[in-house]
Amino acid sequence: HDPQVVCADGAGPYRPPESNENTQPVEIRFTDEMSEFVFRPIRLLLVLDGQCVALWAPGEDGEREPSAPNERALFQGALAEGVHGVDVYLEYNNIPRGPGYPLSLRFQIVSHHSFDVEESQTGVLEIRAYESGNPTTPIEERPAVDFEWRSE
């Protein structure tokens, strides 16, 4: 089954501020490129302009469903023209693979990105979790996130 995308307790879906400003269509997507042999996703929280947009939690035990998509849309809606900010909170567990592998580590990635919604443009913000470095990079230095904003 596909885990549900919901907001944290007490928070509703994102509601843009009421204004007379022009709005433009925006989509925010997440891609998980972390090695499924090393890292298990535990939680992803996306905050847009200080409001909860999505909390994706495949399970506290971190089991990744074999059919769970590595890509998902987290937000599709309209935003006022101007600068907006997103905060991303990602949490992973490692998967111990025998002697020499650390046991049960939890990794947290916290990152912020600002983007500018322009007049008469459709925007897409791609958020990508990936492993930085190479095979000799210590495991605790590998989790990373980057952002790519495109206006069309």
Side-chain angles (χ1 to χ4, degrees):
H1 79 227
D2 186 27
Q4 296 294 311
V5 176
V6 297
C7 285
D9 291 341
Y14 177 81
R15 289 183 183 84
E18 292 184 26
S19 70
N20 294 328
E21 298 178 55
N22 293 330
T23 60
Q24 303 302 325
V26 171
E27 181 176 10
I28 300 175
R29 297 184 204 145
F30 172 72
T31 303
D32 183 0
E33 295 181 1
M34 300 288 278
S35 169
E36 62 187 44
F37 301 107
V38 180
F39 296 98
R40 289 184 189 131
I42 301 295
R43 189 172 294 115
L44 176 149
L45 174 65
L46 178 69
V47 177
L48 173 60
D49 295 334
Q51 295 183 51
C52 171
V53 171
L55 171 65
W56 177 62
E60 288 300 316
D61 60 1
E63 291 298 322
R64 184 186 302 214
E65 296 287 333
S67 62
N70 287 340
E71 297 180 20
R72 64 183 57 248
L74 297 176
F75 175 83
Q76 293 176 320
L79 294 178
E81 295 170 3
V83 178
H84 296 270
V86 294
D87 295 289
V88 176
Y89 304 88
L90 297 165
E91 195 170 340
Y92 290 87
N93 271 351
N94 73 309
I95 301 171
R97 294 286 181 197
Y101 280 85
L103 298 176
S104 193
L105 297 176
R106 189 164 280 206
F107 302 92
Q108 294 179 337
I109 308 167
V110 179
S111 192
H112 175 83
H113 183 75
S114 295
F115 59 97
D116 190 10
V117 175
E118 299 173 0
E119 183 178 354
S120 302
Q121 298 283 323
T122 298
V124 177
L125 178 62
E126 298 276 355
I127 302 169
R128 180 176 69 105
Y130 67 100
E131 290 180 61
S132 64
N134 58 48
T136 62
T137 302
I139 193 168
E140 64 273 9
E141 295 176 16
R142 292 184 192 174
V145 66
D146 68 7
F147 301 85
E148 180 184 352
W149 170 250
R150 293 188 315 274
S151 292
E152 303 166 351

